[in-house]
Amino acid sequence: MSRDDFICPACGAAVPGNALACPECGADEKTGWSPDTIYDGTGIEDPAEFDYDDWKRRDGDARGPRRTKKQWFWWVIGLLVLGAILWVFVVLRWCVIP
């Protein structure tokens, strides 16, 4: 990249300094190069508006989101049903077929 080249704030592609629009996404000065839209379409939150507590609540800790009691209940029910199906298969296999 030369000194006049820059990164498109809409898609992240390299844009030549003399370009009228981004060669990748077509963004231009009116649609995507203004400071107000620098993070639009990138999935990046504006650092000035970033709320760490909200992010931590939504994303959980490093181990991932914690399961609720309702989710644990359904995991246990699923495992019990799976165990019952396996038990029936084993009993029918050993008792019915000599």
Side-chain angles (χ1 to χ4, degrees), residues 2-6 15-20 33:
S2 71
R3 210 172 98 204
D4 293 333
D5 294 354
F6 61 96
V15 180
N18 61 350
L20 298 176
W33 291 345

Side-chain angles (χ1 to χ4, degrees), residues 29-91:
E29 193 172 285
K30 293 179 183 177
T31 62
W33 291 345
S34 70
D36 297 334
T37 60
I38 191 167
Y39 297 107
D40 288 350
T42 61
I44 301 172
E45 296 182 21
D46 186 357
E49 297 174 4
F50 181 71
D51 182 6
Y52 176 75
D53 292 328
D54 180 52
W55 171 81
K56 189 174 178 183
R57 181 186 52 78
R58 284 185 288 132
D59 288 349
D61 57 14
R63 295 172 293 174
R66 297 181 186 261
R67 286 189 169 69
T68 63
K69 289 181 181 179
K70 187 176 182 181
Q71 290 171 327
W72 278 113
F73 171 77
W74 287 111
W75 270 101
V76 170
I77 294 297
L79 290 174
L80 288 173
V81 168
L82 181 62
I85 290 170
L86 289 173
W87 182 77
V88 167
F89 177 76
V90 168
V91 167

